[in-house]
Amino acid sequence: MSQAYTKYNGKTALKTKLDVKYPKNFAQAKVNGSTSASIGWAPSGKGKCDYNVVAIYNDDDFAGAKYITYAFAFHDGQPVALVDQATNGGPDFYPTQNASVRDAFDRIANGTSATYGSTSTSANSSSSASSSATSDLTSDGRNGYFATPSATRGTWYFVNDNQSVTKVTITDHELTTTIEDGSSSTTVLYNRQSDYQIPQNPSQDLQFKSMDWSEGNAFTHNGIQYLSVRSWLQETAPHNYYGVTTEKVNGQDTRVLLLVEGGHV
């Protein structure tokens, strides 16, 4: 469309010319002119919001206050491409009327090519976010979601040396870390194909695509079951380990989460 978009990279806030910052400002965003439906960042497509956003793109290269922000999301398990161009009272997202963008995202969500002008057709529209996340396994090494040990699931709090609090939330396939200022990062856990070789010089596309992925593993050590997490494209990167045990807290048996960052259990 002869437009140049900046993509949210999963780490640095994506800011529009009206100083709207994503994903943080999704909390104030409207969908279809109303705040009755929630919208938020959820890179797996499965989250707690009505609209779970997996990708955000913004183009500020217009005169005046005009801009275009796309939020590609899943709603009730179905892909929907949302767009915001509101310069007053925004952000306010609506399903895009651009058929090319809408159809391309449908094809991506269903695991087929999204090349502009492609003649490929969409797959079964009942496919959900999980089918998108595990498609094209032979090219990027994913072999389905990794199921976290049930004992590790939940919301846990750590008091750091400087007395700040870090929250760790572990769900079926994701791990989210939230620091005291409210900023958070989420990684989606996958099984790795046994014969997959991590490329020595991964393409920029693969680097961006896998930014929120990690390899998950589970093992038992000294009677404690651990969840092991390692960045997807870093073969020599250290693991983080999460294991649950019981300790006495104020005289009561209490489940606690053990965290070992970048070390060995």
Side-chain angles (χ1 to χ4, degrees):
M1 298 183 293
S2 298
Q3 297 169 3
Y5 287 81
T6 300
K7 177 184 177 181
Y8 174 55
N9 63 13
K11 296 181 179 179
T12 306
L14 181 64
K15 186 170 69 172
T16 75
K17 63 167 59 175
L18 298 185
D19 203 34
V20 177
K21 299 176 182 179
Y22 294 108
K24 179 180 179 180
N25 286 140
F26 277 134
Q28 289 79 44
K30 299 175 183 177
V31 180
N32 293 319
S34 171
T35 57
S36 61
S38 59
I39 182 171
W41 177 248
S44 72
K46 293 182 176 181
K48 297 179 180 179
C49 294
D50 297 300
Y51 291 84
N52 295 295
V53 179
V54 298
I56 316 165
Y57 289 82
N58 181 70
D59 184 6
D60 281 341
D61 193 20
F62 300 93
K66 185 181 178 183
Y67 65 95
I68 300 177
T69 303
Y70 281 104
F72 296 92
F74 284 88
H75 175 57
D76 293 334
Q78 299 302 312
V80 56
L82 302 170
V83 64
D84 168 48
Q85 295 176 269
T87 56
N88 292 300
D92 192 356
F93 286 94
Y94 287 83
T96 180
Q97 298 301 305
N98 187 313
S100 296
V101 173
R102 183 181 64 236
D103 294 345
F105 184 49
D106 285 345
R107 290 196 295 272
I108 291 173
N110 289 291
T112 55
S113 172
T115 302
Y116 186 79
S118 169
T119 58
S120 62
T121 57
S122 298
N124 188 332
S125 61
S126 64
S127 297
S128 66
S130 61
S131 66
S132 163
T134 57
S135 64
D136 200 17
L137 298 180
T138 56
S139 67
D140 59 38
R142 290 178 295 168
N143 190 18
Y145 288 116
F146 173 78
T148 58
S150 58
T152 65
R153 297 173 191 168
T155 300
W156 310 87
Y157 296 87
F158 294 88
V159 178
N160 304 304
D161 291 341
N162 61 2
Q163 299 305 302
S164 64
V165 176
T166 297
K167 180 174 73 172
V168 174
T169 302
I170 301 174
T171 60
D172 293 1
H173 313 297
E174 295 184 355
L175 188 150
T176 300
T177 300
T178 305
I179 61 176
E180 210 162 51
D181 67 1
S183 59
S184 64
S185 61
T186 297
T187 187
V188 185
L189 303 175
Y190 293 100
N191 295 304
R192 190 187 298 277
Q193 293 182 56
S194 59
D195 58 349
Y196 179 70
Q197 298 294 317
I198 298 174
Q200 291 186 349
N201 297 298
S203 67
Q204 187 177 53
D205 179 66
L206 180 57
Q207 291 180 56
F208 277 122
K209 186 169 69 170
S210 64
M211 191 170 294
D212 300 316
W213 302 352
S214 288
E215 177 185 7
N217 280 293
F219 64 95
T220 301
H221 179 70
N222 289 339
I224 299 174
Q225 189 173 26
Y226 285 90
L227 163 64
S228 168
V229 178
R230 182 178 66 173
S231 299
W232 190 255
L233 290 180
Q234 299 181 7
E235 188 171 14
T236 60
H239 297 241
N240 285 348
Y241 301 97
Y242 305 83
V244 175
T245 187
T246 300
E247 294 184 359
K248 291 286 186 182
V249 178
N250 296 327
Q252 300 291 323
D253 287 337
T254 304
R255 293 172 68 244
V256 297
L257 185 70
L258 305 177
L259 169 60
V260 180
E261 294 183 310
H264 298 279
V265 173

